[in-house]
Amino acid sequence: MKHGKRLAVFLTAVMLSMGLTGCGENQIPDLTDEQIQAVGEYVAITLMKYDLNHQSRLMELKTKDIPEIVPPIPETEEPSGMGPVDDTPVVNSPGAGMAGSTTGSMRDAMGLAEGIDVAFLEHTVCDSYPNDSDSMSVGFSLDASKGKKLLVLHFSLTNTTEQEQEVDLFSSNVVYSITVNEEYTRRALTSLMPDDMGTYQGTLAAGDSSRVVLIIEIEDEMAESITSVSLRVKNEDKIYGTQLIQ
């Protein structure tokens, strides 16, 4: 800064001396107005060049006073849709819409031994199962919720071999899904009733049969308008679908 001031004083003195008239061999010649203006501009530029404080303020303005503009990052919109739920209707073709291989029979999907056949018999609609007059009534029962009915699907398990067979569906991982009127789907209820197909354990003598059931709740108004019922059986990678009522 001191160097700049000394230079400014020197240049100013030179400019002033140029404007003075005198005599002698070292006389400085007269300057025109244009020349005097040019010298003044040079002095101003030189002072700005050596003015460190002035330069510092310019740099501060560039780096601090100008806000950094960062473009907003667009939010990634999650794809619309809903995850699968138990009540999602299923297509009534074997294994449709699910990973896994479709087995050739319901017995295979249930993991039943060779010689044990399963067959659909009938369906009933009631408020409570079993009722007091039912032969399977042994203290366990299911009651429909308010405004609903129980849809009971009856099946038979038959031992077609000539020797006794053990049947254990309680230890299996079978999931039974029932669809009514092609759009109302529920998983079968699980109970401790001895004829619940999902938890059935028993011994079948040669040629003997046992009745078992699958139960779901349906809306009260559906009870008189059941036009179709389908069943999907899933056991690990084995899937089987069948139409029970159509």
Side-chain angles (χ1 to χ4, degrees), residues 50-195:
Y50 288 96
D51 187 355
L52 298 180
N53 289 335
H54 178 75
Q55 185 180 21
S56 175
R57 287 193 297 271
L58 289 177
M59 294 300 296
E60 183 180 1
L61 177 63
K62 291 181 180 179
T63 58
K64 294 183 179 181
D65 295 345
I66 300 177
E68 182 180 3
I69 300 176
V70 179
I73 301 176
E75 296 183 359
T76 303
E77 184 176 350
E78 294 293 333
S80 61
M82 297 180 61
V85 295
D86 292 344
D87 296 343
T88 302
V90 295
V91 180
N92 296 328
S93 58
M98 297 188 63
S101 59
T102 300
T103 61
S105 69
M106 185 171 172
R107 183 191 68 235
D108 293 337
M110 293 173 62
L112 294 173
E114 288 288 338
I116 302 295
D117 289 344
V118 54
F120 174 68
L121 302 176
E122 62 179 345
H123 77 283
T124 56
V125 177
C126 54
D127 296 315
S128 179
Y129 180 86
N131 54 47
D132 294 337
S133 60
D134 198 302
S135 60
M136 295 301 296
S137 179
V138 289
F140 297 99
S141 66
L142 288 176
D143 297 323
S145 304
K146 184 178 180 180
K148 296 188 177 183
K149 298 283 187 180
L150 297 179
L151 173 62
V152 185
L153 304 179
H154 301 262
F155 297 84
S156 65
L157 296 174
T158 303
N159 180 7
T160 61
T161 68
E162 296 181 354
Q163 57 185 3
E164 187 177 85
Q165 292 270 28
E166 295 289 336
V167 178
D168 183 7
L169 294 175
F170 179 80
S171 302
S172 66
N173 295 319
V174 182
V175 176
Y176 304 93
S177 297
I178 301 164
T179 299
V180 181
N181 296 345
E182 299 183 355
E183 59 182 15
Y184 183 92
T185 301
R186 294 292 185 273
R187 284 189 180 182
L189 300 174
T190 301
S191 71
L192 295 177
M193 294 184 298
D195 62 340

Side-chain angles (χ1 to χ4, degrees), residues 1-14 42-43 46-47 50:
M1 183 62 187
K2 291 181 180 180
H3 175 74
K5 287 183 177 180
R6 288 197 298 268
L7 180 61
V9 172
F10 171 75
L11 291 175
T12 302
V14 171
Y42 177 78
V43 172
T46 304
L47 289 175
Y50 288 96

